[in-house]
Amino acid sequence: MIAKNVNVVIGAGSIGQAIVRRVSAGKHVLLADIRLENAETAAKTLSDAGFAVTTTTVDVTSRNSVHALVEIATSLGNVIGVIHAAGVSPSQATPEVILKVDLYGTALVLEEFGNVIAPGGAGIVIASQSGHRLPPLSVEQNAALATTPTEEILNLSFLQANQVKDSLHAYQLSKRGNSLRVMAEAVRWGKRGARVNTISPGIIITPLANDELKGPRGDGYRRMMEVSAAGRAGTPDEVGTIGALLMGSDGAFITGSDFLMDGGVTAAYWYGDLAPKQTN
C-alpha cells in the first residue's frame, strides 16, 4: 500500500483553508484548531469538495498538544506540508497572550514539525504586514528571536511587560519574530530536504480582520486600505495563490523567505500618505 502524503493545517480559518485547497489534491488533510467545531465546519466544506480530511484539536501554546498533533499526522502518512495559520490579533488578546500564541506557539510548531517533515516537504507560516512596520531591531535582538530555544523565548528581556507597550506592539514583535524564526528554521528543515517560508498578508477579509475593523483600530485599518496602492483589502484566495507557489514545485528554490502581500500598505506607511509626519 502506498503511504499517504499528509498536509497539516493548524488554524481552520479562511487563509489556511484557501491554501490547503490549492495544494491538497490527492493528499490527506489533517485540520487542527483549538476549537473542534471550527475544524469540523471547515472539514465539511473541504470534504464536500472532494478532499479527504481528518480533524482534531490543538493548543499551540502547549508542547504536549503540538506533539500529539505531530503523532496524529505521522500516523496518517508522510507529512509533506504544514500550514500554520493559527493566531490572535491585537484586538482579541492581551500582550502576554499574543506573545504566547503568536510567537512561542509558532516556534513550537516549527520545532516539532521540523523533526518529522518529509523530504521534498514544505511549510508556510502566516505572519503579518505588522511585522514590517516595527522599527528595526538590533542584530542581537534579531538573532535572539530567530534562535533562542523555544522554551526560553518568552524570557527575552525585550519581550517583558515593561518593554512591550501594548497588544499591537506585542503583535508586531511576534510577527517579526515569525519571519526571523522561519529563516533560522529553514536551515534545519533544509537538512531534511524540506523548505519553509512565511507569508505576511495585509488586511485580508477574514473573521479576524473583521474583528479588527470593528475594534478600536478600525478607522486606522480603513485608512490603510484607502491610501494603499491597491485601494482595497485582500482575499484569502489571493493568499492561497502565494501559498500554492511556495508549497509547490514552482517554489522549489524558495526557502527561509518572507513574502509581504499587503496591497502597498507598508509602502505607504514608510514612504507614502501613512508615513509619520516629521517634525523639525
Side-chain angles (χ1 to χ4, degrees):
M1 181 177 177
I2 298 173
K4 296 177 185 175
N5 286 331
V6 179
N7 281 333
V8 181
V9 186
I10 302 169
S14 304
I15 289 176
Q17 289 183 56
I19 297 172
V20 80
R21 287 175 71 98
R22 294 289 299 272
V23 300
S24 296
K27 300 181 178 69
H28 194 92
V29 177
L30 174 58
L31 191 54
D33 195 278
I34 195 167
R35 296 181 178 86
L36 185 60
E37 60 268 28
N38 291 349
E40 291 179 340
T41 298
K44 184 179 187 309
T45 301
L46 290 169
S47 296
D48 288 346
F51 296 97
V53 187
T54 296
T55 59
T56 190
T57 57
V58 67
D59 176 359
V60 298
T61 68
S62 163
R63 182 174 289 276
N64 287 341
S65 181
V66 174
H67 187 73
L69 178 63
V70 169
E71 292 187 330
I72 294 171
T74 54
S75 74
L76 293 170
N78 299 316
V79 179
I80 200 75
V82 179
I83 301 163
H84 180 46
V88 291
S89 76
S91 293
Q92 294 177 319
T94 63
E96 181 182 15
V97 170
I98 289 169
L99 289 169
K100 188 73 179 289
V101 174
D102 291 357
L103 182 64
Y104 171 81
T106 297
L108 186 53
V109 165
L110 287 166
E111 178 187 336
E112 288 281 344
F113 277 96
N115 293 333
V116 301
I117 189 72
I124 292 174
V125 169
I126 302 302
S128 170
Q129 64 173 356
S130 283
H132 290 263
R133 291 205 300 276
L134 185 72
L137 299 174
S138 69
V139 172
E140 292 76 16
Q141 288 172 323
N142 283 342
L145 287 171
T147 64
T148 298
T150 302
E151 297 305 324
E152 299 173 19
I153 194 168
L154 294 178
N155 296 328
L156 292 171
S157 61
F158 60 95
L159 299 181
Q160 301 315 298
N162 63 345
Q163 298 293 313
V164 179
K165 294 179 290 187
D166 52 32
S167 290
L168 178 59
H169 188 206
Y171 188 72
Q172 291 174 331
L173 284 164
S174 296
K175 296 305 181 179
R176 177 72 62 80
N178 291 166
S179 61
L180 291 165
R181 197 81 183 182
V182 160
M183 184 178 292
E185 282 284 342
V187 177
R188 190 169 70 97
W189 284 45
K191 292 176 181 177
R192 296 183 62 87
R195 301 178 295 107
V196 62
N197 295 285
T198 49
I199 301 175
S200 290
I203 301 169
I204 308 295
I205 297 304
T206 64
L208 184 148
N210 283 326
D211 282 347
E212 289 298 309
L213 287 166
K214 295 171 185 174
R217 282 177 282 273
D219 289 342
Y221 275 70
R222 282 181 284 274
R223 171 73 174 155
M224 287 182 201
M225 290 186 284
E226 289 168 5
V227 305
S228 68
R232 63 172 176 85
T235 66
D237 284 346
E238 289 174 302
V239 184
T241 298
I242 298 297
L245 166 67
L246 296 177
M247 295 190 75
S249 59
D250 286 344
F253 198 57
I254 306 170
T255 192
S257 295
D258 176 55
F259 281 72
L260 173 65
M261 52 174 305
D262 66 354
V265 169
T266 300
Y269 179 83
W270 288 109
Y271 307 113
D273 291 343
L274 293 176
K277 297 294 186 290
Q278 299 295 320
T279 58
N280 294 325

